Every structure is written in structure tokens, then in C-alpha cells.
Amino acid sequence: MITVGWREWVGLPGLGVDAIKAKVDTGARTSALHAFDIREETRDGQPWLRFAVHPVQRHAHPSLVCTAPLADRRPVRSSNGAVDERPVIRTPLILDGHRWTIELTLTNRDEMGFRLLLGRRALRRHCLVDPGRSYLASSASGPRPGSSQGSAPAPPPHGARR
């Protein structure tokens, strides 16, 4: 088991995202990734999604185009109580050198502080959460050097925040 804080840096290698800051939210059952320009397409008779993500918090660049098979569509109740149907994908997550597959709903989280929300289903059997601390499995500036999360993001300009 990995002990994590309420926010951590993680990788989503199946989507080409080396590092993205995640909010660990035990109050949420499902995990959600900020995505936009979501389009459904067919590959070999199977439904796939093409979508874009902004992996850096509070920044519109870089913008990464990702593709993944559509795993499901599910109704999800947001924090304001509204229910909407969201597409679901399955993708590997890397945290502190550990790798497992999680389900992510795709939704526009542009107004939210974090581009990735990790809910209980993603954390179950992998993580213990210390809600009073941050970056217990990663550093505040990005993935730990030497971890298998890929390269750390470039540091922000002096005085800038991620």
C-alpha cells in the first residue's frame, strides 16, 4: 500500500501524460479527468474516444490529444448535485513507481482547481490517504526522480504556480 496525501503527482502513460497533479478525493466514488473536444470514433467496429487534455493546472498549454477505447457511459452526480452521463475510459495510472489500471470519466473540469480527481475506486487496494498532508508519494514539483513515472515536467517560471 502506498500512503498518499490529498494531492499527488501521477502519470497516465496510456494517454501520453507523463505528469499531472491529482486531487485525491475519498468523497468521490469515480475518478474524473478534465477533457475537452471529446469525439467518438469507430476503430475496427469498436467505439473509441478522441479528446484533448491540458495536463498543467491553470494553463491552456500544452494541449495533448489523446485516444482511448470507450469502456462505458455512466451517470455521475457532480459536487453540485447535477447528474450527467459521462464517457468512461480505462487507462494505466503510475504513482510512486506503482502501476495499475483505473477508470476515468471524461468531463470539463476547466473551472476546477485540479485537472484530475482520483476517487475511491481508483484508490481501493492501492492507497492509504493522509488527508492532512500533500505529496507523500511524489514531490511538490513533480514525480520523484528515478520513479518510473517518466520525466518530470519542466519547472514553472520563477514565481509561477502549477
Side-chain angles (χ1 to χ4, degrees):
M1 284 272 187
I2 308 164
T3 302
V4 299
W6 71 271
R7 60 184 168 178
E8 294 288 347
W9 282 97
V10 302
L12 300 171
L15 301 178
V17 178
D18 289 335
I20 186 168
K21 195 184 293 185
K23 179 180 180 183
V24 175
D25 187 352
T26 59
R29 181 179 16 224
T30 58
S31 299
L33 175 65
H34 167 64
F36 58 99
D37 290 339
I38 301 169
R39 294 188 177 99
E40 190 169 328
E41 53 189 49
T42 302
R43 291 189 188 174
D44 298 323
Q46 301 299 314
W48 278 66
L49 296 174
R50 176 179 296 278
F51 54 95
V53 297
H54 292 143
V56 181
Q57 201 172 325
R58 292 186 285 280
H59 293 279
H61 299 286
S63 180
L64 302 177
V65 175
C66 306
T67 59
L70 175 65
D72 199 3
R73 290 189 182 277
R74 295 193 192 129
V76 176
R77 185 177 310 276
S78 67
S79 58
N80 68 9
V83 176
D84 65 321
E85 187 174 88
R86 296 182 188 170
V88 179
I89 63 168
R90 291 184 184 97
T91 192
L93 171 102
I94 297 179
L95 176 58
D96 194 29
H98 299 268
R99 180 183 179 125
W100 67 96
T101 299
I102 64 168
E103 289 188 339
L104 289 173
T105 64
L106 302 181
T107 187
N108 187 334
R109 293 184 51 80
D110 213 21
E111 301 302 316
M112 306 303 264
F114 289 83
R115 302 293 167 91
L116 177 62
L117 183 91
L118 288 179
R120 292 188 306 271
R121 285 183 179 162
L123 302 169
R124 188 180 308 145
R125 292 188 286 278
H126 297 282
C127 301
L128 296 173
V129 181
D130 181 343
R133 303 197 42 209
S134 297
Y135 308 114
L136 296 177
S138 60
S139 73
S141 61
R144 287 187 177 150
S147 75
S148 60
Q149 283 182 243
S151 59
H158 182 72
R161 295 183 58 190
R162 287 188 198 254

